[in-house]
Amino acid sequence: MEYNIALLIIIALNVIVSIKGFDDQLFIRKYQFHIGSIRSGEQYRIITSGFLHADIPHLAFNMIALFSFAGVVTQLLGTFSFVIIYVASLVFGSFLTIYFHKNDYGYSAVGASGAVTGVIYSAILLVPNLPINIMFIPIDIPGYIFGVLYLLYSIYGMKAKNDNIGHTAHIGGAIGGYVFTLIKVPNLFMDNPLIVIGLAIPIVILFIMAKQGKF
């Protein structure tokens, strides 16, 4: 099937580039997301960093999540839209990270999490009750509840800064998936207005907190 080819190409690129980076720290340093380097003109890192991963578990988690949700997006929106949402979410994740960390010249990151989160958020918009199973929780969680809670947790992670996770990229990716899905399917505003508004609440909270200087 066509969408499988596109999905497998994206997964293959992530696997090949990441494996190259596992054994080549110079390669990682050249292509990872790095604020100082991006601000000095190396904008290609905005894209290339999204195909690098820190280790095998990091890579596996992102690719399994992508594989789990990509089918919903490709079946309902088509292959081209899926690829656009993936790339747009990757770019949105990088741009939001630049916005919040622009003065932290040493900030660096790798991973497809922003792009994957965008695909997940798109899938949730399209199928709000999509059942999501989280490890150690014995029941499925409706997609729209998971989406809101996940972004609220990401906001907490941004503020707490007590782990090594790129929470800002996750939120930026979700914004990318949210925006481009609504552009593609504007009737969602009429068909599921409460879901559209509900999924936007964490995004609004983020920018209110940013305006108040809470980050």
Side-chain angles (χ1 to χ4, degrees):
M1 294 177 68
E2 184 184 2
Y3 82 86
N4 279 333
I5 294 174
L7 175 59
L8 290 176
I9 288 173
I10 290 174
I11 291 175
L13 285 172
N14 274 279
V15 171
I16 292 168
V17 175
S18 294
I19 289 175
K20 166 66 175 173
F22 292 160
D23 296 321
D24 190 340
Q25 287 302 307
L26 289 176
F27 183 79
I28 287 278
R29 286 197 290 271
K30 182 176 181 180
Y31 294 107
Q32 69 182 353
F33 185 94
H34 183 261
I35 291 291
S37 299
I38 291 171
R39 294 197 63 178
S40 69
E42 296 179 359
Q43 281 81 16
Y44 64 84
R45 293 171 180 265
I46 289 171
I47 298 293
T48 58
S49 60
F51 292 91
L52 291 164
H53 289 81
D55 49 39
I56 290 177
H58 185 207
L59 172 65
F61 181 84
N62 276 338
M63 294 305 98
I64 291 170
L66 176 62
F67 189 84
S68 299
F69 290 91
V72 174
V73 179
T74 52
Q75 288 172 21
L76 296 179
L77 299 184
T79 300
F80 181 74
S81 293
F82 159 69
V83 174
I84 291 297
I85 287 171
Y86 183 90
V87 174
S89 299
L90 170 58
V91 172
F92 267 62
S94 293
F95 281 171
L96 193 70
T97 304
I98 292 170
Y99 175 79
F100 277 98
H101 297 277
K102 57 183 175 292
N103 295 319
D104 184 0
Y105 283 76
Y107 183 92
S108 63
V110 293
S113 300
V116 173
T117 303
V119 172
I120 293 173
Y121 228 64
S122 176
I124 291 171
L125 260 178
L126 294 167
V127 186
N129 287 312
L130 185 70
I132 295 177
N133 181 265
I134 300 176
M135 194 179 302
F136 306 123
I137 297 180
I139 60 172
D140 290 335
I141 299 175
Y144 67 94
I145 294 177
F146 170 82
V148 171
L149 292 178
Y150 181 72
L151 288 200
L152 289 175
Y153 168 73
S154 295
I155 292 172
Y156 166 78
M158 283 179 62
K159 186 170 175 59
K161 298 178 181 179
N162 57 4
D163 55 32
N164 197 33
I165 298 174
H167 296 288
T168 314
H170 295 175
I171 298 174
I175 293 172
Y178 180 88
V179 169
F180 278 85
T181 301
L182 290 176
I183 290 174
K184 179 68 177 180
V185 193
N187 62 294
L188 288 172
F189 285 105
M190 298 297 296
D191 295 342
N192 289 308
L194 292 180
I195 295 297
V196 172
I197 293 170
L199 289 174
I201 288 175
I203 299 170
V204 173
I205 290 173
L206 170 70
F207 285 101
I208 289 175
M209 290 178 67
K211 187 175 180 61
Q212 294 175 344
K214 294 185 177 180
F215 291 104

